[in-house]
Amino acid sequence: MGQKINPLGFRLGTTQSHDSIWFAQPTKYSENIQEDKKIRDWIKNYIQKNRRISSGVEGIGEIKIQKRIDLIQVIIYMGFPKLLIEGKPQKIEELQTNMHKKLNCVNRKLNIAIVKVTNAYKHPNILAEFIAGQLKNRVSFRKAMKKAIELTEQAGTKGVQVQIAGRIDGKEIARVEWIREGRVPLQTIRAKIEYCCYTVRTIYGVLGIKVWIFSK
């Protein structure tokens, strides 16, 4: 019963493609995976430190990495690129040089590009960040979930499901709450489903947020 699979891995090769594209020999494979993780973590931390305080959302949709022998191409899909770039175009160059030093890639060039996501709240990562921000500000979880669903419907999706698990509203017993609007056909491989799981640290403990969005 209930054999659950990650909706992204389930659709690889049909509606979903890999976030990292490179080729490595078996001995170097784990190094490359660790390098990808470092790049993603470093970018997220940098944007968190340099964003404007007023907005609680980092706005990173996804980070795609393509590697060649002499080049690492990193594409950051952002819902709100203004948070990073506004008035400071040198920020990307600074990020690029810092990362180049940290990765210690002497023979390879590092190139970072930022792409704006048209409908930000069509992306589960950005939506999960929004919910996390609301929960940190002690907003009722039901209100946060309903607001999130409203935002995705405005972005023009066919269906959305949001799940929050943990000590919701500071209750002593952890539980799982979820809400669905529209269709979310997880068993249909042709259906383009965007998915993410996000961890948020609140004063009561850690909550897990999962978001499924059926875009087309």
Side-chain angles (χ1 to χ4, degrees), residues 42 47 96 137:
W42 174 245
I47 290 175
Q96 215 158 283
N137 295 336

Side-chain angles (χ1 to χ4, degrees), residues 2 55 76 101 141 162 180 186 189 192-193 196-197 213:
S55 76
I76 308 170
K101 282 177 199 164
F141 77 94
V162 177
R180 186 196 294 140
L186 296 178
I189 297 178
K192 176 101 174 95
I193 297 227
C196 97
C197 52
I213 294 176

Side-chain angles (χ1 to χ4, degrees), residues 6-62:
N6 187 309
L8 303 181
F10 190 45
R11 288 169 175 76
L12 268 179
T14 49
T15 59
Q16 185 65 30
S17 59
H18 290 276
D19 283 348
S20 296
I21 298 169
W22 40 262
F23 176 79
Q25 296 296 336
T27 49
K28 299 274 181 184
Y29 190 83
S30 58
E31 282 174 32
N32 274 285
I33 287 180
Q34 283 171 342
E35 193 177 61
D36 284 6
K37 176 102 174 64
K38 274 182 199 164
I39 290 171
R40 289 195 169 95
D41 289 349
W42 174 245
I43 288 171
K44 280 174 187 169
N45 291 340
Y46 183 85
I47 290 175
Q48 225 166 6
K49 282 177 196 164
N50 290 282
R51 71 177 178 207
R52 291 197 313 251
I53 306 299
S54 59
S55 76
V57 184
E58 293 161 33
I60 301 175
E62 55 188 335

